Amino acid sequence: MTHTEPKILVGLIGAGIQQSLSPAMHEAEARHHGLNLLYQLIDLDVLRCGVEALPKLLEAARLMGFAGLNITFPCKQAVIPLLDELSPEASAIGAVNTVMFGTDGRTTGHNTDSPGWRWALQHGLPHADLSRVVLLGCGGAGAAIADALVRLGAQHVFLVDREPQRAAELAAR
């Protein structure tokens, strides 16, 4: 990698993310592949704002030339109406953890939580009994895990959330 390599700008939007290992992990992996990547944390707590700031944050990232963003709590569902399109998996799950900025300025939301969790379960617990599964939490990550469980053939998934309506909505999806 030379100093003339273009820098790829990406980041993470979420609350309470100052201890995230994402910058070090992504930058190291990029270096391994000869890429010059800068990974920025956009912490709602540090900015003293909430999900209501998402439209401005997405626009600022687009204007600053970000290639994409990771999205985490509490933004995985709130970001959906702000995007131009969703991948089929993100649409089915109802949560986004990755936003890509196209060269045309359009935004596409993806969800990599479900396939990642599915892969980890298949490799870490290949013989897990999926006949009855209790899922605690039905937010963005919980929705992705529910999707993974269904795709893996779980027979009965019991959804538990501190907001019963959220569990009911996920069950209906």
Side-chain angles (χ1 to χ4, degrees):
M1 181 169 43
T2 67
H3 292 290
T4 59
E5 291 289 326
K7 189 164 280 199
I8 301 166
L9 182 59
V10 296
L12 171 64
I13 294 179
I17 58 173
Q18 289 305 300
Q19 301 304 312
S20 174
L21 299 177
S22 290
M25 178 181 69
H26 287 280
E27 288 174 0
E29 185 67 17
R31 277 192 305 277
H32 176 75
H33 293 284
L35 300 171
N36 189 9
L37 182 91
L38 178 62
Y39 194 103
Q40 295 292 298
L41 296 178
I42 305 167
D43 193 329
L44 301 178
D45 291 351
V46 170
L47 296 172
R48 293 190 168 108
C49 61
V51 295
E52 75 282 348
L54 275 173
K56 288 181 182 177
L57 293 173
L58 287 174
E59 180 60 13
R62 188 187 64 74
L63 290 172
M64 293 183 342
F66 276 67
L69 294 165
N70 291 132
I71 307 294
T72 193
F73 175 83
C75 304
K76 288 183 176 188
Q77 294 163 320
V79 74
I80 290 175
L82 307 174
L83 303 175
D84 295 311
E85 61 186 285
L86 293 177
S87 70
E89 201 149 45
S91 183
I93 293 167
V96 164
N97 74 342
T98 304
V99 172
M100 299 298 300
F101 294 97
T103 54
D104 58 359
R106 292 181 54 81
T107 53
T108 304
H110 299 273
N111 191 305
T112 62
D113 285 336
S114 179
W117 193 89
R118 198 166 58 239
W119 182 91
L121 182 69
Q122 288 174 315
H123 289 83
L125 295 169
H127 304 293
D129 180 1
L130 297 179
S131 59
R132 292 176 172 271
V133 179
V134 176
L135 177 61
L136 302 176
C138 298
I145 292 169
D147 177 78
L149 288 166
V150 168
R151 291 173 190 267
L152 288 169
Q155 296 170 9
H156 301 281
V157 179
F158 300 92
L159 304 175
V160 180
D161 195 276
R162 65 180 175 208
E163 298 175 29
Q165 182 61 31
R166 189 159 60 174
E169 289 169 3
L170 179 56
R173 281 203 313 271

